[in-house]
Amino acid sequence: QGVPQDAECFICRSSIEGQGIVSGCACHGGMGLAHVACLVRQAEMSVKEMEEWGTGEGMQKWRRCFDCGQCFHGAVALALGWACWKTYLG
């Protein structure tokens, strides 16, 4: 099932004709639709929060949706895995 043309990223609320918006978890409706860049930014902030304040989910945000808890799958999982590697090891 594809992403609708008028899809809106649930993180940044941008809906530029659904460009770059993906769905890679079990969320229903608009909650599961986001830009990969927004998911990356969210994961980076979670790791920083864990490192600085000892709160948050840390590295789990790179693997799991914060809302439904399901591991990301398919192209989204690959994109986040690559971004995580590049961020911390690349």
Side-chain angles (χ1 to χ4, degrees), residues 7 10 13 17 19-20 22-23 44 51 61 70 73-74 77 81 84 86:
F10 81 94
R13 297 292 181 207
E17 297 177 11
Q19 290 184 342
V22 296
S23 175
E44 289 172 339
E51 290 172 348
K61 283 268 182 108
Q70 181 188 41
H73 55 81
C84 182
K86 188 161 174 60

Side-chain angles (χ1 to χ4, degrees), residues 10-86:
F10 81 94
I11 298 170
C12 73
R13 297 292 181 207
S14 174
S15 62
I16 305 171
E17 297 177 11
Q19 290 184 342
I21 294 180
V22 296
S23 175
C25 65
C27 286
H28 296 287
M31 278 306 293
L33 303 175
H35 297 106
V36 171
C38 290
L39 292 171
V40 167
R41 200 166 35 254
Q42 190 178 57
E44 289 172 339
M45 290 186 323
S46 181
V47 170
K48 188 174 182 177
E49 182 181 322
M50 178 67 86
E51 290 172 348
E52 292 180 4
W53 299 295
T55 60
E57 299 176 55
M59 294 298 286
Q60 288 300 313
K61 283 268 182 108
W62 287 102
R63 294 184 54 240
R64 294 184 180 278
C65 172
F66 86 95
D67 195 44
C68 71
Q70 181 188 41
C71 287
F72 292 111
H73 55 81
V76 176
L78 294 174
L80 289 174
W82 179 85
C84 182
W85 179 85
K86 188 161 174 60

